[in-house]
Amino acid sequence: MSDIMRHVPFDVPEPFRRFLHGETGSMLRVEEFQDGSTMVVRAELPGIEPDRDVDITVSGNTLTIAAKREEKSEYRGKHNYRSEFQYGAFTRSIQLPQGTREEDIKASYTDGVLEVRIPTPDQDSAPSRKVPVSRSAAGGHGSAGLGTTDATSEATAPGQFPGTPPVSE
C-alpha cells in the first residue's frame, strides 16, 4: 500500500494515510514472556511521560494498560513535514494467571519501554491423578456406532449401495 501512496498526486489527510498503511491505531503492541516465576509485559512507548500518560489497572484477572501520546505541532509545515509516529490513545488488556495478587504487580519505565512485572502464584502443587481409560470388548457399543458394522445388515454386491435392491441382469 505504501507504494501506491508514493504515486498519489495529492496530499492525503494524516488519519487516512495511517489507515492505508495499516496503522489502525488504538491497540498497544506488547511483548509478553515468563521470567522464572514472574510474568513480564513490555510495551514500547517512547515520547510519553509515564506519570501523566500511562494508566495501569487490574480488574479481576485482567491487567489493562492505557497510554496516550500527544502530537506536538511545532514542526508542522505545509510541504516539509512527515511523521510516522503514532499519536492518540492506546490500550491493551492482558489476562492474568488465576490467583495473581494485584498488590504484587510492579511497573517501571526506562528508555521508552514500559515494563510490568507480575509475580505468578504457585500453581496448585497437588499431585495430578491419572484418569484410567476403560476399554469395551470387541463389537461392544462403546464407540457410539462410529466405525462399527451392523451384524443385521445384508451383504451387498460390488457396486451396490446398502439399502438398495439388487440389480438383476
Side-chain angles (χ1 to χ4, degrees):
M1 187 58 79
S2 62
D3 291 339
I4 293 172
M5 294 303 294
R6 281 187 225 171
H7 302 292
V8 174
F10 54 88
D11 192 25
V12 177
E14 187 67 18
F16 188 69
R17 185 195 62 77
R18 287 182 184 168
F19 174 77
L20 291 175
H21 282 283
E23 302 168 6
T24 55
S26 67
M27 189 160 106
L28 180 66
R29 293 182 298 184
V30 299
E31 63 182 15
E32 181 181 324
F33 59 93
Q34 196 72 24
D35 181 17
S37 64
T38 302
M39 177 180 175
V40 179
V41 178
R42 288 187 185 152
E44 197 172 44
L45 290 168
I48 63 155
E49 192 61 45
D51 298 335
R52 181 188 67 208
D53 299 333
V54 176
D55 189 25
I56 303 170
T57 58
V58 176
S59 178
N61 284 338
T62 303
L63 173 85
T64 300
I65 302 171
K68 65 181 177 187
R69 183 178 303 122
E70 295 177 2
E71 184 172 11
K72 296 182 175 107
S73 60
E74 57 196 306
Y75 301 109
R76 194 172 286 268
K78 185 164 178 118
H79 299 289
N80 62 355
Y81 178 76
R82 175 186 170 147
S83 175
E84 294 180 359
F85 293 175
Q86 289 185 317
Y87 298 99
F90 307 94
T91 61
R92 185 64 180 263
S93 293
I94 295 138
Q95 197 66 32
L96 296 173
Q98 194 72 4
T100 298
R101 295 170 21 125
E102 63 182 88
E103 59 270 10
D104 294 338
I105 298 173
K106 307 286 184 226
S108 62
Y109 182 81
T110 307
D111 296 332
V113 177
L114 175 70
E115 181 176 280
V116 182
R117 299 185 69 83
I118 305 123
T120 54
D122 290 334
Q123 298 302 318
D124 189 12
S125 59
S128 61
R129 180 180 78 85
K130 184 173 179 168
V131 176
V133 177
S134 64
R135 187 174 200 158
S136 61
H141 297 288
S143 62
L146 297 176
T148 61
T149 58
D150 186 358
T152 61
S153 66
E154 299 176 8
T156 56
Q160 179 184 351
F161 294 103
T164 59
V167 178
S168 45
E169 295 185 22

